[in-house]
DNA sequence: AACATTTTAGG
DNA sequence: CTAAAATGT
């Protein structure tokens, strides 16, 4: 099918090497490379400042490498990628479009729609896997169902009957299509107020595919060997630093996999077991990235709803003061505060410290996890919706194989584990720099004379603990008790068919958002005890908007606006509800809930956007739209069967993935 | 050296 | 919680 020219639509695959869509375009003849900047499509998840900075650099580098090959990158500013693509097609006379798959819920729906529209316009559309070792629908258990635990998934990935595709070389030359009627538009990725902070980033980071290659090579020949040993230190120096490169697809994960695997074979032959083990651990973290896409594909709501339903009944503490103290690194727990200061200053955090600060956020402060996830999204250089959603769900105990729900980590002990000499804390909390190591992770226990000698006045230049750990533990127990009670009550109500749902209060009273979400590190008066009266909310929390002006004109947002927005985005996204009939046989040995579930699904169906079911080629999974580029064969289960989770043993009835379309919706 | 006890890691 | 590893007797 040679002839007309092809569009290659770049998204998060900003590389020329091992880029199947680009390769296909080159094979087909003339190529027009396009990047469309349409951040409004991302809804809540407008990229943060550092992420946009990275994208800008990366696009510039991609453009220059495309120029070396014979074309350039056409950039378009848009609010609707699909219509922009149509315009590009129209102005260039292209007849084909090639792109690489994405797996976040918004992309799944948009790309599916795009494929339908373009196909109906006579454009040949082909898409490829460029982001994963295996497509999500390739990795299934012996019964042909998707895995619900990471180990199951990853073991299967590593023992697939066929290897991941080998990385392809970049094209030698690209024949450019006619760009005379398709001018680039200037993309603005930063505003004036952001330029100063962004200038600092360039000192530490080098975006772009060629730099990604260098980072990969440097990691493999350097820190990889000691990865196992160093992985528990707070210090980031021994990590691969590949995550932002991988997020934007500047380096192919298949290339990473192959090169690392080669190194492993080498070490194995030398009898270097430490190196072998290091590779296994590093590959595991690559595997988690794969798994995040896998989960996002199979559970398209996982970035906004807990995968285990009982979390719906967790009484989150909605407290601006807590949230602000956490963001500013003023919780009074040195390891947490150091991490939050580093995040703010650099956009980077070691994986271990991410676990510490997010665990503190959920378990100690009991703030709604999606707020924390949103803050990560706004501040992390490697912000990645799928990975971050998986991470926060893991921390929050909402995955079958996540951390136990009642586990609460003590930052003091973790401090001595990950930062035994206090170097990390001293680097990011200069006010504690003179405190001896003995007290560095629990200054509140230090004798007065020690504090004086170190120039510390607790509650003045460094906060007292925002809440004591024993109080936090008691409060968490209490919250969990309440959660199970509400969960049981709700279930009882459902079984009795009574329509006075407890869990439904969210419908009427959404969480009010803090008005002031500024993230500045100001010297506000310290709130060591932000709340005396604890406000709890029984609902699935919503996300506060912190990207004020950029998303929606900077106006104030009433909670109802946000509720509407949430509803809107919900309507666009595949819904995760209902079991299809093929599941009946498998699930009927669980609890006798089938009729109820089915009734709920039917009620849901009434509320589904009709556009979802209009397309003749759309296929249903979970009742949601499946991209046409995936086989529809996967019969999907909505029930987690985590026998390996202690919680599921204690609360087997709570193991259903909840039907999030309002349990007691009056239909 | 064999076994009991404690600590740690765990996706 | 459980399994494995580290430590102690």
């Amino acid at each position: 099918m040679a002839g007309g020219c092809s569009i290659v639509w770049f998204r998060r695959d900003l590389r020329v090497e091992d880029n199947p869509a680009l390769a296909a375009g080159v094979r087909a003849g003339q190529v027009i490379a396009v990047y469309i900047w349409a951040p409004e499509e991302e809804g809540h998840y407008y990229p943060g400042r550092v992420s946009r900075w990275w994208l800008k650099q990366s696009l510039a580098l991609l453009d220059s490498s495309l120029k070396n090959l014979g074309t350039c990158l056409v950039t378009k500013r848009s609010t609707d990628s699909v219509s922009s693509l149509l315009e590009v097609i129209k102005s260039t006379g292209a007849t084909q479009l090639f792109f690489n798959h994405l797996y976040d819920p918004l992309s799944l729906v948009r790309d599916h729609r795009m494929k339908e529209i373009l196909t109906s316009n006579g454009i040949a559309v082909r898409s490829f896997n460029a982001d994963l070792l295996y497509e999500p629908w390739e990795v299934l258990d012996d019964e042909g169902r998707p895995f619900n635990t990471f180990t199951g998934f990853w073991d299967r990935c590593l023992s697939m009957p066929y290897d991941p595709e080998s990385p392809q070389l970049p094209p030698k030359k690209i024949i450019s299509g006619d760009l005379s009627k398709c001018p680039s538009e200037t993309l603005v990725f930063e505003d004036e107020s952001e330029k100063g902070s962004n200038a600092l980033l360039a000192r530490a980071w080098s975006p772009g595919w060629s730099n990604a290659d260098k980072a990969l090579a440097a990691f493999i020949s350097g820190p990889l060997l000691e990865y196992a040993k160093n992985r528990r230190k707070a210090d980031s120096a021994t990590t691969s630093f590949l995550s932002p490169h991988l997020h934007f697809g500047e380096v192919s994960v298949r290339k990473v996999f192959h090169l690392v695997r080669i190194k492993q074979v080498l070490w194995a032959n030398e009898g270097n077991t430490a190196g072998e083990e290091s590779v296994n651990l590093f590959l595991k973290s690559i595997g988690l990235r794969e798994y995040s896409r896998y989960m996002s594909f199979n559970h398209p709501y996982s970035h906004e709803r807990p995968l285990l339903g009982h979390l719906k009944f967790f009484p989150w503490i909605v407290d601006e003061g807590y949230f602000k103290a956490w963001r500013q690194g003023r919780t009074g727990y040195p390891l947490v505060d150091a991490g939050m200061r580093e995040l703010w200053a650099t956009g980077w955090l070691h994986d271990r410290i991410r676990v510490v600060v997010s665990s503190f956020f959920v378990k100690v402060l009991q703030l709604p996890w999606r707020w924390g996830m949103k803050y990560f999204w706004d501040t992390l250089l490697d912000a990645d919706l799928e990975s971050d959603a998986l991470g926060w769900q893991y921390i929050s105990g909402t995955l079958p194989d996540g951390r136990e729900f009642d586990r609460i980590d003590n930052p003091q002990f973790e401090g001595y584990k990950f930062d035994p000499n206090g170097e990390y804390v001293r680097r990011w909390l200069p006010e504690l720099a003179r405190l001896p190591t003995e007290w560095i992770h629990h200054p509140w226990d230090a004798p007065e004379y020690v504090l004086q000698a170190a120039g510390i006045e607790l509650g003045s230049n460094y906060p007292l603990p925002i809440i004591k750990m024993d109080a936090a533990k008691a409060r968490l127990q209490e919250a969990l008790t309440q959660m199970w009670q509400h969960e049981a009550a709700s279930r009882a109500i459902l079984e009795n068919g009574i329509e006075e749902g407890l869990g439904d209060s969210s419908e009427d009273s959404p969480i009010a958002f803090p008005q002031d979400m500024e993230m500045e590190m100001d010297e506000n008066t310290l709130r060591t005890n932000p709340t005396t009266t604890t406000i709890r909310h029984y609902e699935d929390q919503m996300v506060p908007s912190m990207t004020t002006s950029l998303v929606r004109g900077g106006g104030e947002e009433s909670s109802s606006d946000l509720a509407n927005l949430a509803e809107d985005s919900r309507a666009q996204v595949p819904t995760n509800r209902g079991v299809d009939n093929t599941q009946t046989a498998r699930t009927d040995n669980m609890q006798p809930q089938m009729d109820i579930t089915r009734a709920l699904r039917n009620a849901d169906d009434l509320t589904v956007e009709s556009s979802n079911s209009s397309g003749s080629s759309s296929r249903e999974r979970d009742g949601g739209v499946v991209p046409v580029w995936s086989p529809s064969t996967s019969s999907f289960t909505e029930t987690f069967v985590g026998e390996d989770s202690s919680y599921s043993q204690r609360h087997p009835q709570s193991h259903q993935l909840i039907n999030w379309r309002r349990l007691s919706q009056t239909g």
Side-chain angles (χ1 to χ4, degrees), chain A residues 505-534:
Chain A
S505 59
S506 57
E507 204 72 88
D508 311 309
S509 56
I511 289 178
F513 293 97
Q515 288 298 307
D516 174 25
M517 282 286 180
E518 300 300 309
M519 300 187 291
E520 81 289 353
M521 293 287 287
D522 61 5
E523 295 302 319
N524 282 354
T525 44
L526 203 52
R527 296 215 252 164
T528 48
N529 188 12
T531 32
T532 44
T533 55
T534 302

Side-chain angles (χ1 to χ4, degrees), chain A residues 332-344:
Chain A
Y333 288 91
L335 187 64
V336 174
D337 292 342
M340 294 310 291
R341 306 272 181 99
E342 181 184 19
L343 173 58
W344 174 247

Side-chain angles (χ1 to χ4, degrees), chain A residues 513 515 544-545 548 551-552 555-562 565:
Chain A
F513 293 97
Q515 288 298 307
S545 173
T548 49
V551 179
R552 289 175 295 275
E556 282 189 355
E557 293 159 338
S558 71
S559 49
S560 67
D561 284 339
L562 282 160
L565 239 157

Side-chain angles (χ1 to χ4, degrees), chain A residues 74-87:
Chain A
V74 176
T75 55
K76 295 283 179 185
R77 178 68 174 90
S78 172
T79 53
D80 177 23
S81 300
V82 180
S83 43
S84 286
L85 280 174
L86 283 168
E87 281 167 30

Side-chain angles (χ1 to χ4, degrees), chain A residues 79-101:
Chain A
T79 53
D80 177 23
S81 300
V82 180
S83 43
S84 286
L85 280 174
L86 283 168
E87 281 167 30
V88 171
I89 286 164
K90 214 167 160 190
S91 63
T92 59
T95 56
Q96 306 176 80
L97 182 128
F98 301 107
F99 69 99
N100 294 313
H101 295 159

